[in-house]
Amino acid sequence: MEFRQSLARRIVIAFVLMTALVGGAFAIGIIEVVHLIEEQLISRDLSNELHRVLAQNIAKGRVPSLDSDTRFFTSDGQWGQLIPPELDALAPGFHEVFEDERSYHALIREIEGRRYILLQDQSDFEAREQVLYRVVMVGFGLSVMLSALLGWLLARKVIEPVVRLARQVRHRDQLLGLAPPLAPDYADDEVGQLARAFDDTLGRLHEVLTRERLFTSDVSHELRTPLMVLASSCELLEENPHLDLRAQAQIQRIARATQEMRDLVQTFLMLARAQREEINLAPQASLNTVADELVAQWRNAIEQKGLRFEYLPGVLQEGRYNAAFLRSVLGNLLRNALHYTDTGTIRLALQDGSFVVEDSGVGIPAESREAMFRPFVRGDERRGDGLGLGLSLVQRICDSQGWTVSLSDMHPSGCRFKVDLDGRAQHTP
C-alpha cells in the first residue's frame, strides 16, 4: 500500500484509529454490559415480586399489594386489571414496553392456563441510563480528540530528527569536503543509522565529484599545449604561398577543428570549476560578438555543403555573457544543424536576450526530443561516428548558467533550437 500523506499525518492517523478502535470497543462493551445487567436485575426483581404476589396475596385470597410504579394484570381480570390487547400479544418472559414517553418493563407468566403480567414503570431508570450512554459517547469523542492532539505532539517530537536530517542533506554544503558529518548529531537509533548511511553516500559522491573535477581539469589543462601547437602550425602553413587550394582548404579545416577543440576544452575546464569563485572571473562577451565570430568560422563549411546560410544579427545587444559557454552552446547548435542538414537552409537569428538556430534537415520526432538532451543519444545513428554529447553539453551549460533551451520542429522538416539567455523560455520536449 502506498501512503501519500506525510509521516507526521500518518502518526496522527494511527493514534486516532487506535483510540477509535479501542475506545469504541470499550464504549460498546460498557453499553452492552449495562443493558445486560439491567435486564438480569430487573427481570429477577420482577420475578421475585410476581412470586410474592402469587404466594402471599392471591394464594391467600387477598388483593395484591403493589407500589405506585407497578401494575398487575390477569387474563380474567380477577385480582388485577384485565390484560390489554397490546400486552396480551407478548410471549411469556421479560419485555420492554413503551407507552408514549414512558418506559416499562413487563414480566409475563402463564400458570395453570392463566396469564399474569407484572408491569413496572422504569422511566426514571431509563433516563439515568441514557445519561450514562451520553457520558460514554462524550468520553469516546474526547478520547479521540485527545489522541489526535497527543499524536500531533508526539509526531512533531518523533519526526523532528528526520526533518532536521532531511534539511541537512538537502543543503548544498554537504557535498563540500569541509562539511561536518551528520551522524554525531543523532542518537544511535534508526535516524542515527540513516545519518551514517547518508554520510557514507555523500562521502562517496563527494569523492566521485572530486575525481571528475580533477580529471576534467587535468585533461583540459594538458590538452591546451598540443592544441596551441596545432593552431600555431596551421597559422604558419597558411602563410606558405606554395600550397594549392586543396591543401589550404585542409589546413583551414584543421584550424577550425583545432579552434573547436580549444573552445570545448575551455568549456570543460570552466564546468569543472563551476562551484568555484574563478567562474565569475571568466571573460565576458556580447551575443553579437560571439555570433559574428562563429558565423565567420562556420559560413564556409555550410556553404561548401551546398546549403544557404542566413544570419540575422538584429539590433546590437548590450548583455554580457560567459564567452566560452556562449561560444560552445552556439557552436554546438550550428555544428548539429550542419551535420543533419543535406539541403535547404540554416538560419541564425539573434533576438533580445536570446538566439534561434533553424535548419531544414531531417528533424527530430516529437517523442524523441526530450531524450536528445541526454548524453550518448543521437538523432540519426546512420550519420557519422559522433557520441551524442553535443546537445547534452548544451543542456549542461544552460543549466549551469540559468539559460533555457527549447526544441521544436520546422515545416515541412527540420529543427528549431531557441536559447534564452535570460532564462525565460521553457524546455520544449
Side-chain angles (χ1 to χ4, degrees):
M1 177 181 290
E2 181 181 359
F3 295 96
R4 298 185 180 274
Q5 291 85 5
S6 64
L7 180 59
R9 183 172 297 180
R10 277 181 270 171
I11 293 177
V12 174
I13 292 175
F15 265 82
V16 172
L17 288 179
M18 181 182 66
T19 303
L21 291 176
V22 176
F26 271 103
I28 295 175
I30 290 174
I31 293 174
E32 292 297 327
V33 168
V34 169
H35 185 74
L36 180 62
I37 293 176
E38 170 199 3
E39 183 176 345
Q40 291 180 348
L41 290 179
I42 295 178
S43 176
R44 186 187 63 181
D45 291 343
L46 289 179
S47 180
N48 292 337
E49 182 70 10
L50 180 60
H51 181 269
R52 184 190 65 79
V53 169
L54 294 175
Q56 297 181 9
N57 297 131
I58 296 178
K60 296 179 180 180
R62 293 184 297 188
V63 176
S65 58
L66 301 169
D67 56 35
S68 59
D69 293 333
T70 304
R71 289 185 286 174
F72 183 64
F73 300 90
T74 61
S75 56
D76 55 4
Q78 187 179 6
W79 308 107
Q81 302 178 44
L82 185 64
I83 298 175
E86 60 272 13
L87 296 179
D88 193 40
L90 298 177
F94 179 79
H95 299 275
E96 287 190 54
V97 180
F98 299 94
E99 180 180 332
D100 297 330
E101 295 181 357
R102 310 294 295 179
S103 175
Y104 299 91
H105 289 164
L107 181 64
I108 302 174
R109 289 284 187 270
E110 290 185 356
I111 302 175
E112 296 179 357
R114 181 177 294 177
R115 170 172 286 208
Y116 300 95
I117 297 179
L118 195 61
L119 193 66
Q120 191 175 68
D121 190 350
Q122 297 291 334
S123 298
D124 294 338
F125 182 83
E126 288 292 337
R128 290 191 294 270
E129 187 180 46
Q130 292 299 320
V131 172
L132 175 62
Y133 291 163
R134 293 189 184 96
V135 170
V136 171
M137 296 307 298
V138 170
F140 171 73
L142 291 176
S143 64
V144 172
M145 289 188 292
L146 182 61
S147 69
L149 177 61
L150 182 61
W152 180 72
L153 295 175
L154 290 179
R156 292 185 57 187
K157 186 67 175 177
V158 169
I159 70 172
E160 189 274 334
V162 179
V163 174
R164 180 158 53 95
L165 177 61
R167 186 166 52 249
Q168 289 177 310
V169 172
R170 286 197 304 266
H171 201 282
R172 66 182 66 182
D173 290 344
Q174 288 299 325
L175 293 179
L176 300 178
L178 299 179
L182 301 172
D185 295 338
Y186 300 92
D188 189 17
D189 54 7
E190 290 79 2
V191 179
Q193 297 175 7
L194 184 60
R196 285 193 293 274
F198 276 123
D199 283 338
D200 183 61
T201 302
L202 291 174
R204 294 180 182 179
L205 180 59
H206 177 261
E207 293 177 0
V208 171
L209 291 176
T210 301
R211 287 198 299 267
E212 189 269 341
R213 291 195 189 103
L214 291 176
F215 173 78
T216 305
S217 180
D218 292 342
V219 170
S220 301
H221 183 270
E222 294 300 324
L223 286 177
R224 279 181 165 183
T225 301
L227 288 175
M228 290 180 63
V229 173
L230 286 174
S232 301
S233 301
C234 289
E235 291 177 359
L236 292 175
L237 289 173
E238 287 177 348
E239 296 177 357
N240 189 344
H242 302 292
L243 296 177
D244 56 18
L245 295 178
R246 181 177 180 182
Q248 291 178 0
Q250 292 297 328
I251 293 174
Q252 292 176 359
R253 183 178 179 184
I254 295 173
R256 185 170 59 250
T258 302
Q259 182 61 39
E260 291 178 19
M261 181 64 73
R262 292 176 66 180
D263 292 342
L264 189 60
V265 168
Q266 180 67 17
T267 298
F268 283 136
L269 184 60
M270 298 193 67
L271 286 175
R273 297 175 178 175
Q275 294 185 354
R276 303 178 186 178
E277 294 182 357
E278 289 87 343
I279 193 68
N280 298 324
L281 303 178
Q284 304 288 305
S286 67
L287 177 58
N288 295 86
T289 301
V290 174
D292 291 342
E293 294 176 0
L294 290 176
V295 167
Q297 177 181 339
W298 284 96
R299 182 181 291 276
N300 289 337
I302 294 174
E303 293 178 349
Q304 287 175 4
K305 194 176 179 180
L307 303 174
R308 185 173 64 257
F309 183 51
E310 297 180 2
Y311 176 42
L312 306 176
V315 298
L316 185 63
Q317 303 183 41
E318 299 180 356
R320 309 287 290 182
Y321 309 97
N322 186 298
F325 286 158
L326 184 56
R327 189 179 295 111
S328 182
V329 170
L330 183 52
N332 271 283
L333 293 179
L334 289 175
R335 182 189 301 107
N336 186 79
L338 174 62
H339 189 68
Y340 288 98
T341 304
D342 294 328
T343 60
T345 303
I346 294 178
R347 180 182 296 105
L348 170 60
L350 306 187
Q351 301 174 0
D352 184 16
S354 64
F355 63 87
V356 176
V357 177
E358 300 174 345
D359 63 70
S360 57
V362 295
I364 299 175
E367 62 274 9
S368 303
R369 292 173 192 165
E370 184 74 21
M372 294 308 300
F373 293 94
R374 300 172 187 169
F376 306 107
V377 177
R378 302 180 59 206
D380 190 340
E381 298 295 341
R382 296 170 298 176
R383 290 177 175 262
D385 54 356
L387 296 177
L389 295 175
L391 292 182
S392 68
L393 179 61
V394 169
Q395 184 68 65
R396 183 178 175 185
I397 293 174
C398 290
D399 291 341
S400 69
Q401 296 297 296
W403 304 340
T404 54
V405 55
S406 60
L407 169 60
S408 56
D409 56 357
M410 295 287 293
H411 182 77
S413 65
C415 294
R416 182 180 189 271
F417 289 90
K418 181 177 181 181
V419 177
D420 193 297
L421 304 177
D422 296 329
R424 293 190 299 264
Q426 300 295 322
H427 184 82
T428 303

